[in-house]
Amino acid sequence: MDRRTFLSTATLPLIAPLLGAHPAAGSGRSSLIVLWMDGGMTHLDTFDGKPESRPDIRGDLKCTRVKGNRDLFVSEHLPRIAKVLPHASVIRSLSSGEGNHDRGSAYMLTGHRPSPVLRYPSLAAASARDAGPLPAFVAVPDAHPYAGSGYLGATRGPFEVGGDPSRPGWGIPDLAPRPGIARALDLARAIDRGDPEATTLEVRAKALALSRDPEARAAFDLRREKPETRQRYGRNRLGQSCLLARRLAERGVSCVFVRDTGWDHHRGIARALTYGFPPKLDALDGAVAALFKDLRDRDLLERVTVVLASEFGRTPRLNPAGGRDHWPRAHSSVLFGAGLKAGVVVGKTDVRGEEPVERPVSPGDFVATVAAAVGLRGDTTLHTPTGRPVPLTEQGSSPVSEVLT
Amino acid sequence: MRRWLVAIAFFGSAGLSLVMPPDEAPPARTLHEDIDFTHDVLPVLAKAGCSAANCHGGATGRGGFKLSLFGTDPRGDHRAIAFALGGRRVDFANPEQSLILRKPTLSMKHGGGRRLTVGDDAYTRLSDWIGAGAPWGGGRVVERLELREEGDRVRALAFFRGEAQARDVTGLTRFMHTADDRWIIARYAGAVARQRTQKPEPTVTGARPGPHGIARRLWLDLAGRTPTPEELRAFVERPDPITTARRLVGSADYRRTMQSHFEEWLEIPHPSDERTPTRARNARLRAAVSKAIEENEKLFAFIDRLLAKGPTGDLLGRFNDPRDRAEFVGRAFLGVQIGCARCHNHPDDRWKQTDHLGWSAHFVDPRPRAGGGMQPGTLYHPTTGQPIARSLPFGSGSPFYGTTPLHHVRWMLRTDARAVVAVNLANRVASWILRRPFVDPVGDHRVTNPGTRLDAHTRLTATLVQTDGDLARVVVETVSLKEYGQAADPWALDPLTYRRTVRSALGLPDSAERLPTSPLARELRVINGELVHGSLREPGNAVDVLFAFGGEPKVWLDELWMMTLSRPPRPDEVKRFLPVLLEADDRPAAGRDLAAALLLCAEFAERR
């Protein structure tokens, strides 16, 4: 038994409770990359294929068995991700009662059912911590409304890069210092220095530090990547967003939220997923596989946790328009990287993909799992501005220990 | 053989007890008269901390014993104590042997420590109740709790329905002080009361702003911009905040500023944030708000007009769920945060889940009648599926009691009951003008959330009631409050006001640029973007005009400070920054840099 195995299996369960850490959590805090498929990603046509089911359930898209797993079927349009899955964990039994986009997203992103009186922060915001001039929490290109900081306040919210990173000439507006304003900024600092009441200086200092640090600014510059790398991720919004996420996580940004819209396929789902420039599944396949390979090749899999998720799944039975509607009772997520085991498949749905028949996992459990993977204590408590203690996830949540190292 | 001897001994002794005369009956216990579990026993446990959230009142209880949080579920608690665990928590024959007494007195191991003392009133009350068979009792309903000061003590008196005399429940009441020590909050059996202490309002520290500071405040608060140098000099020459406020509330800048406040109050989103289905409704609401502000429509009439359209009108029809409509009306108009009760009975307020459902039931979309016309819709219980009876948790007194709450709320707006709405509105005006509401959070006027500056709050409320909700009057009244002229904490300008202030300081019309909401992104936009630097390059901006007219550098310096910070430069600032102009080869360029610095500095970005 090597040292790492000994530590993780034999001693950590003993030591971890003394240290207050979750027994199954990673040994330190890792960066988190959330790949959010906004709109409700179909589970049957991605990671929970049902090749034996009726045509009106399995649809027009075929799926293939993942090597090494007898009953894990993924879309044939995700061949590169299929090769990654033996190195990842898959949760097939996510289930909640929230079939509304906002409510479902809130639940999956915050670990709490949405409340009319308290806006919960997302795990991304809750886990973000400052590390140098770069923002702690970045959203590419923008954050979901429920991925923000909630009651933690705007200063803990995401820095949205905006635009489409795949477009030529894309950059973050107003990031670079404006020519000729150095003197004005120095004068402003001099004015503030003589002002004991100034309260807005902290964010100003952060903005100046980011703007004036060429290395920090360079983290957002995709032109510094080799063309073949950019090609491998895919010259599309999702691909380049994932590449940007890797660059930022590599430089210590503690959370990057990549949002890919357009997964709300109520009509013609087969065509919607396989046609376009690029086809949606193809873009997902290239981006996620490239991200995994890149992290592995750069020895970042021990420092970065990646989660692919959506607010709910889609109806197993195709509707008359050839689409699938909202289905929160079953959906899937893929996780890999720091704090996570490889090749684990948790949960199983029935033959139609309607309900979990093994190991149902609530969104609260899911968020608790990701929190544990990035190294957050299981009993982490946040506080509202009035001092009210609020647990990180809703009561009754517990991490899916099967996927945690 | 030995087995038979044991059996004979056992049954023999039992038989003996049947034929022997009984022991003397134990002495009669002294019972507290007509003991009632909810009002006499549960409060003991609450006061001892047994039913607190960190103990048996927590979500999963402690040590296998679960109570409701501070006794919000008396029936459930009675079952847990008297019947659960095979009834082993209570010993009717020997109450002192009951687990529920032995543990908190540390007669046996108890993780919660000592909570009761053998023989004290709380212990005796519990013991007597157990000895009486742990009855439910019931029947009493506490209508209100009052606190009376007697010397240095506070007594709690509970008024029960049907009883002429109040009961002294001081020993059963939980008392706490607010963080600032100016209020005592008392809780007994679901009733809440509060009382002011003798501690005075904290005195404001810090220097009072001079006329320049007051002018800047007035213009930022009422007009959403800084005063021009001319306006500033005119005010400083003859400082009259009240007259100035009266003039400002008639201006287009004031109307624009109030429009933003109203849209936030009525939760009308920015056009770029709204969803397509509500776009048309929001546009009509914005127009209605604009008209009301322009005409200074009385606020009660304005609210009445909005509510008259019912659950499907623009104001409430934006919400799909009747519970969302009900909560909106509660917080926007009545100062009631009933939303907590959607999920649980709230120990800090009197609303129960049944109240929330009964209130929400009024806001269901109407349905067509079989014979024509419309009838109120039905709300069904989310768990049981049973229809919910409509109720008004805010009490009777309205001739519309028992009908829809919209009629009730509208009745309130036309009668003395409008004071409830006025309290909430006065608080909102304070948050807009003083930047500091009396009650925080705004819209949460529960008993356990007492506010500050009660006198000022009362004064503004009275003004609203007496003037039928004259917004302009109460805005001017707010400016006339003593605290308006006192030191205040710096308040960062919101993105919209900051943009308008930059543009107006430079004498330019407002732009449509929307600053990012993320503080870091906004700061990058401000320091590197077009708002400040681009505005300083626009033809006709006030800085260019200033330098084009010529003059002395000291005059320029004064004007730059007046234009941006609404005050002349201090002597140390003159000493530090006048050389920037004097020593520059290109004085207009240096002046532009100095102007940019002033627009970027913290003082400009804050309301003080």
Side-chain angles (χ1 to χ4, degrees):
Chain A
M1 178 185 287
D2 63 14
R3 181 178 64 90
R4 180 178 296 178
T5 309
F6 171 75
L7 282 173
S8 64
T9 59
T11 61
L12 204 54
L14 300 174
I15 296 171
L18 297 174
L19 297 174
H22 190 278
S27 57
R29 294 279 292 275
S30 55
S31 293
L32 174 64
I33 296 177
V34 177
L35 306 178
W36 183 254
M37 304 300 113
D38 199 24
M41 179 180 70
T42 164
H43 57 298
L44 267 78
D45 302 301
T46 54
F47 303 106
D48 196 11
K50 302 291 181 186
E52 304 294 324
S53 57
R54 301 195 315 254
D56 62 334
I57 289 176
R58 70 171 183 265
D60 295 328
L61 302 180
K62 294 192 175 64
C63 50
T64 57
R65 183 184 296 140
V66 173
K67 192 175 175 182
N69 192 306
R70 279 187 317 157
D71 69 350
L72 177 62
F73 292 87
V74 301
S75 168
E76 63 172 356
H77 295 272
L78 301 174
R80 287 168 282 187
I81 291 182
K83 290 181 182 154
V84 169
L85 288 184
H87 308 282
S89 294
V90 181
I91 301 176
R92 292 187 294 189
S93 51
L94 282 161
S95 185
S96 76
E98 302 295 349
N100 167 277
H101 286 295
D102 284 344
R103 292 185 64 85
S105 299
Y107 202 0
M108 280 292 289
L109 290 168
T110 68
H112 291 268
R113 279 190 178 81
S115 161
V117 293
L118 195 62
R119 187 73 174 226
Y120 293 103
S122 66
L123 173 65
S127 64
R129 63 204 179 281
D130 263 343
L134 285 168
F137 177 14
V138 178
V140 185
D142 55 25
H144 189 281
Y146 284 97
S149 49
Y151 60 70
L152 294 178
T155 51
R156 296 276 297 265
F159 173 66
E160 296 180 327
V161 302
D164 181 349
S166 68
R167 287 192 173 272
W170 174 85
I172 298 195
D174 309 315
L175 182 61
R178 191 182 181 106
I181 65 164
R183 183 162 72 157
L185 290 173
D186 287 340
L187 289 169
R189 197 162 48 238
I191 296 171
D192 285 335
R193 223 179 276 127
D195 179 7
E197 281 193 77
T199 60
T200 53
L201 300 179
E202 191 186 327
V203 177
R204 168 66 55 85
K206 183 82 182 173
L208 284 171
L210 175 60
S211 179
R212 288 173 167 172
D213 189 329
E215 284 303 312
R217 294 203 313 271
F220 295 95
D221 189 355
L222 289 174
R223 293 170 302 179
R224 293 182 175 232
E225 290 288 338
K226 292 179 188 164
E228 50 267 30
T229 304
R230 297 193 73 173
Q231 194 64 37
R232 193 170 64 246
Y233 274 86
R235 289 280 190 172
N236 53 72
R237 191 174 61 186
L238 178 59
Q240 298 303 296
S241 298
C242 287
L243 174 57
L244 180 58
R246 190 270 289 155
R247 289 178 63 79
L248 295 172
E250 190 173 29
R251 286 157 177 79
V253 171
S254 63
C255 182
V256 185
F257 185 91
V258 175
R259 183 182 184 194
D260 188 45
T261 54
W263 287 88
D264 192 19
H265 298 120
H266 289 282
R267 309 179 65 84
I269 190 169
R271 186 180 174 83
L273 290 175
T274 55
Y275 276 77
F277 299 98
K280 209 140 182 74
L281 287 179
D282 191 58
L284 179 67
D285 192 46
V288 174
L291 179 62
F292 172 81
K293 182 179 183 307
D294 230 5
L295 291 174
R296 185 190 60 191
D297 293 346
R298 291 166 182 264
D299 284 328
L300 290 173
L301 282 178
E302 295 292 318
R303 286 202 284 131
V304 180
T305 303
V306 180
V307 171
L308 169 72
S310 189
E311 61 257 46
F312 38 65
R314 303 202 79 81
T315 47
R317 194 169 170 199
L318 290 165
N319 64 30
R324 300 190 195 270
D325 302 312
H326 302 177
W327 191 258
R329 283 150 61 179
H331 56 119
S332 303
S333 172
V334 175
L335 309 90
F336 58 85
L340 296 161
K341 285 181 181 163
V344 173
V345 179
V346 171
K348 189 175 173 180
T349 52
D350 60 25
V351 295
R352 288 173 300 280
E354 287 178 349
E355 304 274 358
V357 293
E358 281 175 20
R359 194 56 168 98
V361 174
S362 73
D365 297 334
F366 173 76
V367 172
T369 306
V370 179
V374 301
L376 274 174
R377 287 167 56 131
D379 58 352
T380 297
T381 299
L382 306 174
H383 291 85
T384 68
T386 57
R388 174 183 164 191
V390 182
L392 184 65
T393 54
E394 69 176 4
Q395 185 191 321
S397 304
S398 58
V400 180
S401 55
E402 299 94 303
V403 304
L404 296 169
T405 55
Chain B
M1 178 64 179
R2 191 163 56 174
R3 202 178 296 169
W4 282 110
L5 286 172
V6 168
I8 290 168
F10 176 76
F11 287 110
S13 62
L16 279 172
S17 71
L18 290 174
V19 301
M20 292 282 288
D23 290 337
E24 284 182 15
R29 293 178 183 278
T30 303
L31 290 177
H32 290 260
E33 56 186 66
D34 64 313
I35 200 162
D36 170 79
F37 175 76
T38 303
H39 298 100
D40 296 315
V41 176
L42 268 191
V44 169
L45 301 178
K47 189 158 175 133
C50 308
S51 55
N54 60 339
C55 207
H56 298 291
T60 52
R62 286 275 184 177
F65 181 34
K66 165 96 179 71
L67 291 171
S68 65
L69 184 62
F70 292 128
T72 50
D73 179 15
R75 281 281 183 194
D77 291 344
H78 186 253
R79 275 196 299 274
I81 296 170
F83 301 109
L85 205 64
R88 285 198 286 277
R89 292 198 171 101
V90 292
D91 185 335
F92 299 138
N94 301 291
E96 64 276 6
Q97 294 301 314
S98 305
L99 277 178
I100 198 148
L101 285 178
R102 292 188 64 206
K103 286 217 164 189
T105 53
L106 285 185
S107 302
M108 58 187 295
K109 193 174 164 193
H110 181 226
R114 184 184 297 280
R115 294 286 164 173
L116 297 174
T117 303
V118 176
D120 71 4
D121 189 61
Y123 179 92
T124 308
R125 190 179 287 270
L126 268 179
S127 175
D128 288 350
W129 172 70
I130 296 168
W136 165 249
R140 265 194 269 148
V141 176
V142 60
E143 291 198 318
R144 72 178 189 280
L145 184 69
E146 277 185 17
L147 301 180
R148 304 258 170 92
E149 271 191 73
E150 288 181 0
D152 59 352
R153 289 187 65 234
V154 175
R155 281 176 68 212
L157 298 174
F159 291 80
F160 289 90
R161 187 180 295 169
E163 292 184 9
Q165 294 287 334
R167 295 189 187 217
D168 189 327
V169 293
T170 308
L172 295 171
T173 299
R174 287 178 293 135
F175 294 94
M176 59 158 275
H177 283 239
T178 52
D180 58 6
D181 231 8
R182 290 186 310 105
W183 290 89
I184 297 172
I185 309 291
R187 295 181 176 86
Y188 164 74
V192 186
R194 71 187 187 200
Q195 170 114 342
R196 286 276 290 269
T197 65
Q198 300 298 325
K199 189 170 179 189
E201 293 269 356
T203 50
V204 176
T205 55
R208 290 166 57 95
H212 293 92
I214 293 293
R216 187 180 168 84
R217 273 189 196 179
L218 271 173
W219 262 266
L220 278 174
D221 295 340
L222 271 57
R225 63 170 175 88
T226 47
T228 63
E230 294 71 35
E231 288 170 331
L232 184 59
R233 289 193 178 94
F235 180 86
V236 170
E237 192 177 316
R238 198 184 301 178
D240 186 346
I242 309 297
T243 307
T244 304
R246 285 200 188 105
R247 196 171 64 247
L248 284 172
V249 298
S251 69
D253 288 328
Y254 164 82
R255 291 195 291 274
R256 193 182 55 178
T257 303
M258 278 299 140
Q259 179 85 22
S260 303
H261 290 315
F262 270 55
E263 288 181 12
E264 189 183 344
W265 165 37
L266 299 175
E267 300 174 20
I268 306 172
H270 189 276
S272 59
D273 294 331
E274 61 191 356
R275 294 183 177 273
T276 309
T278 57
R279 204 157 279 167
R281 286 186 194 276
N282 289 332
R284 286 193 294 268
L285 280 171
R286 283 190 206 97
V289 164
S290 176
K291 188 163 181 288
I293 293 169
E294 187 165 1
E295 296 171 359
N296 197 36
E297 182 181 5
K298 301 296 173 67
L299 288 174
F300 299 124
F302 172 63
I303 297 169
D304 185 49
R305 194 156 58 77
L306 290 176
L307 291 177
K309 303 283 174 62
T312 55
D314 286 336
L315 186 68
L316 299 181
R318 297 173 296 158
F319 303 99
N320 289 331
D321 192 320
R323 294 171 298 175
D324 292 331
R325 293 178 199 138
E327 288 164 16
F328 169 77
V329 170
R331 62 179 177 264
F333 303 128
L334 303 174
V336 170
Q337 287 278 12
I338 200 171
C340 300
R342 190 192 282 219
C343 304
H344 57 82
N345 297 341
H346 205 291
D348 268 354
D349 208 341
R350 57 190 176 102
W351 313 125
K352 305 288 184 283
Q353 277 185 289
T354 47
D355 295 324
H356 185 278
L357 285 170
W359 174 241
S360 300
H362 290 280
F363 291 86
V364 183
D365 289 358
R367 299 280 181 266
R369 282 184 202 278
M374 302 296 275
Q375 62 183 356
T378 304
L379 182 68
Y380 296 92
H381 196 285
T383 310
T384 66
Q386 295 301 310
I388 299 293
R390 277 175 252 125
S391 66
L392 278 173
F394 308 111
S396 60
S398 154
F400 296 100
Y401 184 74
T403 65
T404 67
L406 289 179
H407 282 115
H408 178 72
V409 172
R410 293 177 63 200
W411 167 79
M412 289 169 77
L413 293 169
R414 289 193 287 274
T415 64
D416 288 344
R418 65 174 59 177
V420 169
V421 181
V423 165
N424 188 24
L425 292 177
N427 194 41
R428 287 187 183 271
V429 171
S431 73
W432 300 340
I433 308 299
L434 299 172
R435 311 297 177 133
R436 204 175 132 231
F438 302 118
V439 175
D440 192 20
V442 168
D444 186 6
H445 295 254
R446 60 189 149 86
V447 172
T448 52
N449 187 35
T452 57
R453 302 115 76 208
L454 185 62
D455 295 337
H457 194 180
T458 306
R459 184 174 149 189
L460 295 188
T461 302
T463 301
L464 276 168
V465 171
Q466 286 154 15
T467 62
D468 291 335
D470 187 330
L471 176 65
R473 276 282 299 272
V474 81
V475 164
V476 173
E477 182 98 10
T478 309
V479 170
S480 74
L481 292 174
K482 188 177 166 190
E483 80 172 79
Y484 196 81
Q486 292 175 333
D489 290 331
W491 183 274
L493 298 180
D494 61 271
L496 181 64
T497 305
Y498 180 79
R499 183 192 79 205
R500 287 177 178 166
T501 307
V502 167
R503 298 288 292 180
S504 68
L506 296 176
L508 298 169
D510 193 18
S511 71
E513 181 182 3
R514 197 170 176 217
L515 292 178
T517 48
S518 153
L520 181 60
R522 185 164 73 243
E523 203 58 33
L524 284 170
R525 180 79 62 88
V526 166
I527 61 177
N528 291 327
E530 284 294 300
L531 176 60
V532 169
H533 309 290
S535 297
L536 281 167
R537 278 172 164 67
E538 263 188 52
N541 74 78
V543 174
D544 282 352
V545 169
L546 173 66
F547 286 97
F549 269 107
E552 294 298 318
K554 176 62 171 63
V555 171
W556 294 336
L557 199 77
D558 284 349
E559 277 302 291
L560 286 175
W561 252 254
M562 294 284 272
M563 213 185 271
T564 54
L565 303 187
S566 307
R567 62 171 176 84
R570 296 189 305 263
D572 63 294
E573 289 172 328
V574 173
K575 188 177 172 187
R576 169 73 179 84
F577 298 107
L578 184 57
V580 171
L581 294 174
L582 288 172
E583 295 163 10
D585 294 330
D586 184 348
R587 284 183 178 172
R592 207 176 292 124
D593 283 339
L594 203 46
L598 289 163
L599 293 171
L600 292 172
C601 78
E603 185 179 337
F604 181 82
E606 292 172 353
R607 180 269 197 197
R608 299 182 174 183

